[in-house]
Amino acid sequence: MRINKYFPVAFIYFFINSLGLPFGLTYTALLSPLLYIWVVVTRRQEVLWPFLLALTPFVLIHISIGVDTKSYFISILNITMVYVFCQAVYTFLIKCEHPENIFKPLLIINFIFCLVAIPLFFTPYDNLLWMKQFLTTGVEDFRRLSLLTYEPSYYALLFTPLFFFFLLQLIFYRNTINGWLLLVMLVLPLTLSFSLGVISAIVVALAVTFIVYIKTFIVNKRVINLLGFVGIIVITAIGIAIVFFPDNILFVRIANVITGKDPSGKGRTFEAFWLAEQLLEKKSYWWGIGPGQIKVLGFELIRDFYGYGYETTRVAIPNAAAETLALFGWVGFIVRILTECFFFVYTRVWRNYYRLLLFIFIFVYQFTGSFITNIAEYVIWIMAFTPVFREFESGKRDTFSPLHNAV
């Protein structure tokens, strides 16, 4: 297996990007000056000034309406470093001829980590790869797989592009890993992370893509076999759970969501927008309160609303779309959505199965979680809008050539 020269940076991004660093700081951010130089030299194009120019109207208006200067410009610097990293990701995608030479090692190493994490779960050292979190009403200190990331949902978000990529390889008979083993390698990480938000968005993306291309997928035997296999497994698992484990964690979470008793689900969706509206009242509905101002203007509001203890030192709006609304107002929110729609049409996302899956997934997910400087989210947006991964172009004649191992 040939290792791509970009793999070391990909390894840092996927596995250890925040390891040992204060919350909010990443190694990719620290590397942003070098990444900026690499982007400019590689593409022979200035990429930073257009971004700063587009940001200038917001900065001028935010300063005029009043901000905490220190926190504001630290956040602006953080946003700028995230932007530089995004430019580096885009540059990599248009220059790298075989991204699978990065994806496959990441998948294998991730699977090895998962295998190590399972026995570690039953030891006093489980906190090395697992995280205890409040899950839902009645479920305290539930352990979920996070590996070396700071949060299980973030880990699941990181893994999603790999999931879609290798699932499509499996469907299109391009897998070089045994089909059954590959399925385990794809399903196990998401299951152990127990990130229902990510998993739900994945299911929505798969369902919409299947409907859009139903004439193509319905004649693919592997797709039908996978649907049948998944259906049998799900029905069997639900039946066993109902009979033998009626009070299992999944059922409790689903019941709480349905009855409105799930604070995590509500807090990441419509309640996040309510909080954003409360913050907009303090400054400007059109332009928002400005980056870095949530902890200044909304600390007590968010702490008390979510029931955090008085020892809490950091608060946030756990929803990327709602946070955009709070920081940049309705102008920023509308620009965000229109930009996504523009690039969807301009890059013809629907013509590529992989990019369509990524777009639908992250479009849905931005309303259920994430945050405005989440590089894992932006990587997915960039992959969705960059016209690469041509092996998954719709209508490609050799797409379904059965060249590799069957499931």
Side-chain angles (χ1 to χ4, degrees):
M1 179 174 58
R2 184 180 178 183
I3 301 298
N4 192 287
K5 64 181 179 180
Y6 301 113
F7 180 76
V9 176
F11 180 88
I12 292 173
Y13 161 75
F14 193 91
F15 291 107
I16 59 172
N17 204 12
S18 60
L19 184 64
L21 295 178
F23 183 86
L25 188 61
T26 63
Y27 290 109
T28 51
L30 296 176
L31 289 171
S32 58
L34 295 177
L35 293 175
Y36 170 73
I37 295 173
W38 175 72
V39 169
V40 172
V41 171
T42 301
R43 290 164 52 187
R44 299 181 180 179
Q45 177 186 1
E46 172 55 48
V47 296
L48 186 55
W49 286 112
F51 170 76
L52 296 178
L53 186 63
L55 202 59
T56 297
F58 287 97
V59 174
L60 294 177
I61 293 173
H62 288 155
I63 292 175
S64 69
I65 63 178
V67 294
D68 179 83
T69 305
K70 180 180 178 180
S71 60
Y72 184 83
F73 283 103
I74 288 176
S75 295
I76 289 292
L77 177 61
N78 188 24
I79 291 172
T80 303
M81 291 189 295
V82 169
Y83 169 79
V84 170
F85 176 73
C86 290
Q87 284 288 349
V89 172
Y90 173 72
T91 304
F92 155 73
L93 287 175
I94 62 177
K95 295 296 182 180
C96 182
E97 297 181 356
H98 302 288
E100 65 272 11
N101 290 338
I102 287 182
F103 288 2
K104 189 172 181 180
L106 289 178
L107 180 72
I108 293 173
I109 295 172
N110 180 76
F111 184 59
I112 293 172
F113 267 118
C114 288
L115 295 180
V116 172
I118 292 174
L120 198 65
F121 180 89
F122 303 98
T123 73
Y125 304 101
D126 61 324
N127 62 328
L128 293 176
L129 300 177
W130 298 80
M131 182 173 291
K132 288 183 179 180
Q133 287 184 322
F134 168 83
L135 183 65
T136 187
T137 302
V139 183
E140 306 282 346
D141 294 331
F142 183 73
R143 286 182 291 181
R144 301 163 59 192
L145 182 66
S146 60
L147 290 192
L148 300 176
T149 66
Y150 69 89
E151 209 268 338
S153 295
Y154 183 79
Y155 164 63
L157 186 64
L158 282 172
F159 184 74
T160 299
L162 296 181
F163 176 85
F164 284 140
F165 184 86
F166 288 100
L167 180 64
L168 286 175
Q169 275 203 345
L170 188 63
I171 290 173
F172 293 162
Y173 296 89
R174 295 180 178 274
N175 55 299
T176 56
I177 301 174
N178 176 270
W180 294 112
L181 175 60
L182 183 57
L183 277 177
V184 175
M185 296 173 76
L186 296 180
V187 173
L188 184 64
L190 292 175
T191 302
L192 297 181
S193 73
F194 206 75
S195 178
L196 296 187
V198 171
I199 294 172
S200 298
I202 286 176
V203 171
V204 171
L206 289 172
V208 172
T209 302
F210 179 83
I211 293 172
V212 170
Y213 287 105
I214 188 169
K215 292 183 179 180
T216 300
F217 287 121
I218 202 69
V219 298
N220 185 299
K221 292 183 179 180
R222 184 165 282 189
V223 172
I224 301 305
N225 289 339
L226 283 173
L227 287 175
F229 175 74
V230 171
I232 292 173
I233 293 297
V234 170
I235 292 173
T236 302
I238 292 176
I240 293 174
I242 291 175
V243 175
F244 298 102
F245 309 102
D247 297 323
N248 69 83
I249 302 299
L250 179 60
F251 283 8
V252 171
R253 180 72 184 276
I254 293 175
N256 284 343
V257 170
I258 294 175
T259 58
K261 298 179 181 179
D262 180 45
S264 177
K266 293 190 297 182
R268 289 176 178 268
T269 51
F270 62 87
E271 287 183 349
F273 283 94
W274 182 85
L275 287 171
E277 286 286 340
Q278 299 305 302
L279 292 176
L280 290 180
E281 289 183 359
K282 298 177 181 291
K283 290 292 181 178
S284 168
Y285 275 100
W286 284 111
W287 299 97
I289 64 174
Q293 305 309 293
I294 288 180
K295 62 183 178 183
V296 177
L297 299 177
F299 181 84
E300 293 184 359
L301 170 67
I302 297 174
R303 183 195 64 190
D304 296 342
F305 184 81
Y306 286 127
Y308 298 146
Y310 284 97
E311 71 281 0
T312 300
T313 58
R314 185 185 65 85
V315 296
I317 295 179
N319 180 301
E323 187 180 11
T324 300
L325 177 62
L327 299 188
F328 297 102
W330 284 103
V331 172
F333 180 81
I334 292 171
V335 168
R336 177 188 179 105
I337 301 302
L338 289 180
T339 300
E340 294 164 1
C341 295
F342 169 79
F343 280 108
F344 176 83
V345 176
Y346 181 74
T347 64
R348 301 182 179 184
V349 169
W350 64 88
R351 292 190 174 186
N352 185 288
Y353 302 113
Y354 184 56
R355 296 200 290 131
L356 181 60
L357 283 169
L358 290 174
F359 176 85
I360 297 170
F361 166 81
I362 202 62
F363 189 89
V364 171
Y365 188 74
Q366 69 179 328
F367 292 100
T368 64
S370 191
F371 50 95
I372 199 169
T373 55
N374 187 348
I375 60 173
E377 177 186 333
Y378 292 119
V379 166
I380 295 177
W381 283 118
I382 294 166
M383 293 173 73
F385 293 140
T386 306
V388 290
F389 307 105
R390 300 190 186 281
E391 66 270 33
F392 299 129
E393 294 287 337
S394 62
K396 194 176 180 64
R397 291 186 177 183
D398 61 344
T399 296
F400 293 101
S401 299
L403 300 178
H404 301 292
N405 298 328
V407 177

